[in-house]
Amino acid sequence: MSRTIRVDDDVFAELQSRAEPFVDTPNSTLRKLLGLPPSETSAPNPAGTSQRDQSLIPLLADGRLGAGQRLVWKRRNLKQEHHAVVLSTGELRLDDGSVHSTPSGAATMIAGNQQNGWKAWTTEDGVPLKELR
């Protein structure tokens, strides 16, 4: 059963700041803050897929990616190149040591605004994550 609650702009802004872009919904963010387990019937994220679908775990499970493999994000317009290492948990560790549960979360952390990590990150051979999916 779903219910509707109303929150003011400050509360909504705080929820957004704590949410992982392209992954979390207001409900999943509140569940994390309250220490509740993920909902069995989690609502789809804005991209239309569930949070589970955003993980690299399926790519690790069938060998399309390997633990310890390096990913690259080349931002030509900014003349920047970023790297991430795929962890055995399906998470990505950035050069600054931060760990992110999705490619989009890692890319968003670097850029400072919402990014689609499935389009941003490639293998060192230049294969985009979106093609490995």
Side-chain angles (χ1 to χ4, degrees):
M1 172 189 282
S2 75
R3 301 181 194 273
T4 301
I5 61 169
R6 295 188 187 276
V7 297
D8 61 38
D9 291 340
D10 293 337
V11 172
F12 187 74
E14 184 63 25
L15 284 174
Q16 283 186 309
S17 75
R18 294 178 183 227
E20 185 168 350
F22 298 110
V23 174
D24 284 329
T25 64
N27 188 69
S28 66
T29 303
L30 282 169
R31 292 184 76 81
K32 288 178 187 177
L33 291 171
L34 296 171
L36 299 170
S39 171
E40 293 291 323
T41 57
S42 20
N45 72 16
T49 58
S50 70
Q51 180 173 348
R52 194 171 309 125
D53 295 334
Q54 298 301 312
S55 167
L56 295 176
I57 291 173
L59 302 182
L60 283 166
D62 66 9
R64 288 177 279 174
L65 285 178
Q69 186 171 352
R70 249 171 60 126
L71 300 179
V72 179
W73 182 17
K74 294 181 180 178
R75 301 176 75 191
R76 286 176 288 176
N77 293 345
L78 298 175
K79 296 182 172 92
Q80 295 176 346
E81 184 172 297
H82 304 282
H83 301 97
V85 175
V86 178
L87 303 178
S88 61
T89 59
E91 297 169 306
L92 289 174
R93 185 180 61 239
L94 298 177
D95 289 335
D96 68 2
S98 63
V99 176
H100 304 273
S101 60
T102 66
S104 296
T108 296
M109 171 65 183
I110 290 168
N113 55 44
Q114 290 190 348
Q115 297 290 319
N116 183 336
W118 292 94
K119 292 181 180 179
W121 295 104
T122 67
T123 64
E124 288 187 300
D125 298 335
V127 178
L129 282 183
K130 68 179 182 179
E131 289 182 19
L132 292 177
R133 237 175 175 181

